[in-house]
Amino acid sequence: MLVDGKIFLGVSDRPEYLNLKYANRHGLITGATGTGKTVSLQVLAEGFSAAGVPVFAADIKGDLSGVSRLGQAQGWQTKRAEDIGFTDFIDDVYPVIFWDLFGTQGHPVRATISEMGPVLLSRILDLNDTQEGVLNIAFKVADEEGLLLLDLKDLRALLVEIQERAKEISARYGNVTTASIGAIQRTLLVLEQQGADNFFGERALSIADLMRTDADGRGVVSILAADQLMQAPRLYATFLLWLLSELFEELPEVGDPDKPKLVFFFDEAHLLFDDAPKALIDKVEQVVKLIRSKGVGVYFVTQNPVDIPESVLAQLANRVQHALRAYTPREQKAVRVAAETFRPNPAFSTEDAITQLGIGEALVSVLEDKGVPSMVGRTFIRPPSAQVGPISPAERDASLANSPVSGLYDVVLDRESAFEVLHKRAREKQLADQRANYEEQRREEAEQLAKERARAEKAAAPRRSTRQSPTEAAMSSFARTVANRLGRELVRGILGGLKGRR
């Protein structure tokens, strides 16, 4: 039943295959808890890996980690293989790299603030137009002044710098208010409290390390430990959207290749959309719609189809629907929605079948030749070839030690970036101000000292006496007498001359 160019999923009234040529048209795995979603995910992951397609999967419960260990067929696996006539079934193992945003159960996953960019960061932080404008100004200033934005402390330091230079920057780019900067700082705090300080930084994850194949040509299965991450939904959404955006930016257009370049499985996909602003949903829809042409397939795993916005749900062509329970009006609606998304099969009622499926049984519809959806089939899913269930902590540690990226991401890099540059700049300004204040104080002290010295010298200089000696007094009196007499004679002469002419 193993066929080249296809992944064997199981058997309905015929063998059900996922055609690798249409695997980049995205997909959906849904079903209530305990109905077999994780096994279906593992079957698909194993199939892609065997076909040489790298896989990335968020593992919420840790069950998917068993892909890294050789399977030892249990009774139900052997029986299922016999029941569906799966004579090719063998135990197998697949190459795996473990990742973890918190760095405890896998290699750390990091991205820089610069890579995230102002537009995506604004969507994730749910900023309004004014706040988004301020964030764009911050990134513009960072570019102009050569400030690296690597982690949250860099962005915070930059926002403080902009606030202090608000008048100057507002004149160049538009109004920057204290209220907008404060709102951005508060949303960053919310993100940080969910663990974003672990995510933002270096060394940033290289997309090439998610697109590895091993020496046998099998695609490496990258498993993200997400048990802790799912408790931080905003951080989870931040990471997933960043990863899709990075792939879209970095990968070339390939159209519809014979098989995908990479396939993503996002478990507990509702965390990406719960209480998400419309702008974020629009961004997810846009990326999912466009990334297909890059050869990337995206598969959402969740309990109900209604967990996925209709605009995104419409992009998911390959579907595996496990059992749903219909005890409440919302659950009944979910069953109707799920049934309506399948191409009907006249052999049974799709809506009734969804509530009657057993464990490991699912409704399957995939794209066939020319991209036409297949008629829905009530399918017994094939058993996985690798271990079913989680591995032990010791086995995980051994896998990490032998990982092809061991040591590459495990140590945090802290280059000189905006925080250090702005801190240094502020320190230099402070020292310059202190030096200027000191010099001004010294100048004032010198001037004061000069004034005091001048006053002291003036006070100490000998004064000439204004009193005259007897001889000086007599001489002065004689001089005045002569001067007075001479003055009278001159006057008379002049007057006399005037009288003579009359």
Side-chain angles (χ1 to χ4, degrees):
M1 289 185 175
L2 300 178
V3 179
D4 289 340
K6 296 182 178 181
I7 297 175
F8 175 50
L9 300 178
V11 173
S12 57
D13 55 353
R14 60 174 185 173
E16 297 284 353
Y17 295 94
L18 174 61
N19 194 330
L20 289 172
K21 185 177 181 180
Y22 300 111
N24 65 330
R25 303 295 181 89
H26 312 314
L28 178 68
I29 303 174
T30 54
T33 301
T35 56
K37 294 193 304 297
T38 302
V39 169
S40 293
L41 191 162
Q42 182 169 339
V43 165
L44 282 169
E46 291 180 2
F48 282 120
S49 178
V53 178
V55 172
F56 180 91
D59 188 15
I60 299 296
K61 299 183 292 293
D63 291 345
L64 196 59
S65 61
V67 174
S68 64
R69 290 293 173 267
L70 181 67
Q72 296 179 353
Q74 304 174 34
W76 70 268
Q77 292 174 276
T78 304
K79 185 176 187 308
R80 174 60 58 86
E82 292 175 353
D83 289 344
I84 64 177
F86 185 20
T87 56
D88 300 336
F89 176 68
I90 58 170
D91 294 329
D92 210 341
V93 64
Y94 301 86
V96 169
I97 297 178
F98 291 105
W99 304 91
D100 185 0
L101 260 67
F102 301 99
T104 57
Q105 299 183 67
H107 302 294
V109 178
R110 301 186 188 92
T112 66
I113 293 289
S114 294
E115 287 176 327
M116 186 70 64
V119 176
L120 184 54
L121 198 55
S122 296
R123 297 293 183 272
I124 291 163
L125 297 176
D126 193 20
L127 302 182
N128 61 32
D129 292 341
T130 302
Q131 295 158 1
E132 182 178 353
V134 171
L135 192 62
N136 274 278
I137 290 173
F139 274 77
K140 178 67 175 176
V141 170
D143 288 341
E144 288 183 344
E145 300 186 5
L147 300 173
L148 288 176
L149 298 178
L150 304 179
D151 51 27
L152 286 178
K153 72 177 186 296
D154 289 329
L155 183 54
R156 281 210 181 89
L158 178 61
L159 291 171
V160 171
E161 173 79 2
I162 288 175
Q163 184 173 357
E164 292 176 351
R165 296 166 52 192
K167 185 175 181 180
E168 168 206 342
I169 293 173
S170 295
R172 288 161 56 192
Y173 300 113
N175 196 26
V176 174
T177 66
T178 300
S180 293
I181 291 178
I184 297 171
Q185 294 277 36
R186 288 191 296 273
T187 55
L188 288 175
L189 179 61
V190 173
L191 198 61
E192 182 182 26
Q193 288 176 337
Q194 293 194 5
D197 52 335
N198 294 297
F199 176 54
F200 290 114
E202 288 187 316
R203 170 181 315 229
L205 176 65
S206 171
I207 296 301
D209 284 325
L210 299 181
M211 304 183 70
R212 290 173 172 267
T213 55
D214 69 0
D216 297 326
R218 292 190 166 198
V220 172
V221 181
S222 292
I223 297 178
L224 177 70
D227 52 343
Q228 185 178 354
L229 184 60
M230 69 176 296
Q231 299 175 23
R234 178 165 288 189
L235 180 59
Y236 187 49
T238 299
F239 167 71
L240 296 183
L241 194 52
W242 166 78
L243 200 50
L244 288 176
S245 298
E246 281 294 293
L247 285 165
F248 180 74
E249 293 293 332
E250 290 192 20
L251 297 182
E253 293 279 342
V254 294
D256 288 318
D258 291 335
K259 62 183 180 181
K261 300 295 183 183
L262 181 67
V263 171
F264 278 81
F265 291 94
F266 293 152
D267 202 359
E268 300 294 341
H270 65 89
L271 296 176
L272 185 60
F273 303 107
D274 283 352
D275 301 321
K278 185 178 185 303
L280 181 58
I281 294 176
D282 290 344
K283 183 67 175 179
V284 174
E285 179 189 359
Q286 178 190 31
V287 172
V288 169
K289 187 181 298 183
L290 298 176
I291 205 170
R292 176 181 67 81
S293 62
K294 307 284 187 171
V296 177
V298 180
Y299 289 70
F300 293 96
V301 184
T302 189
Q303 292 195 11
N304 282 314
V306 294
D307 295 335
I308 310 294
E310 289 186 8
S311 58
V312 177
L313 195 62
Q315 309 297 321
L316 312 181
N318 302 298
R319 303 196 175 191
V320 177
Q321 174 67 64
H322 288 271
L324 289 176
R325 310 308 174 204
Y327 302 123
T328 67
R330 183 179 184 276
E331 291 171 340
Q332 292 167 4
K333 178 185 177 182
V335 170
R336 287 194 300 272
V337 169
E340 291 168 358
T341 60
F342 287 105
R343 178 182 168 187
N345 188 330
F348 58 89
S349 165
T350 305
E351 186 172 340
D352 291 341
I354 289 175
T355 61
Q356 298 168 359
L357 295 170
I359 297 174
E361 192 179 8
L363 299 181
V364 173
S365 178
V366 295
L367 295 182
E368 296 182 315
D369 293 339
K370 300 181 180 180
V372 177
S374 66
M375 187 180 298
V376 62
R378 187 165 176 169
T379 306
F380 289 98
I381 301 298
R382 58 151 287 188
S385 294
Q387 175 179 310
V388 177
I391 61 176
S392 68
E395 290 173 323
R396 186 183 290 265
D397 291 342
S399 180
L400 288 171
N402 296 318
S403 167
V405 297
S406 179
L408 188 60
Y409 297 98
D410 301 308
V411 178
V412 178
L413 299 181
D414 192 12
R415 289 190 290 160
E416 183 178 75
S417 52
F419 176 81
E420 288 79 14
V421 171
L422 293 174
H423 181 75
K424 181 179 178 181
R425 185 185 298 176
R427 180 60 179 164
E428 289 175 348
K429 183 178 183 300
Q430 182 183 18
L431 292 174
D433 290 343
Q434 290 176 349
R435 189 179 299 110
N437 291 336
Y438 175 74
E439 291 175 354
E440 176 66 18
Q441 184 179 357
R442 291 293 301 273
R443 185 184 64 79
E444 292 176 354
E445 290 175 351
E447 290 178 353
Q448 183 66 26
L449 185 60
K451 290 177 181 179
E452 291 176 356
R453 184 180 295 115
R455 285 196 296 268
E457 290 175 352
K458 185 176 180 180
R463 297 183 181 180
R464 292 188 62 183
S465 174
T466 58
R467 299 182 62 184
Q468 295 178 323
S469 66
T471 302
E472 289 173 335
M475 291 297 293
S476 295
S477 176
F478 175 75
R480 284 195 299 271
T481 301
V482 172
N484 289 338
R485 182 178 300 154
L486 179 61
R488 283 195 298 271
E489 289 178 354
L490 288 172
V491 169
R492 281 198 300 270
I494 292 170
L495 295 176
L498 292 172
K499 291 177 181 179
R501 290 190 184 92
R502 187 181 295 178

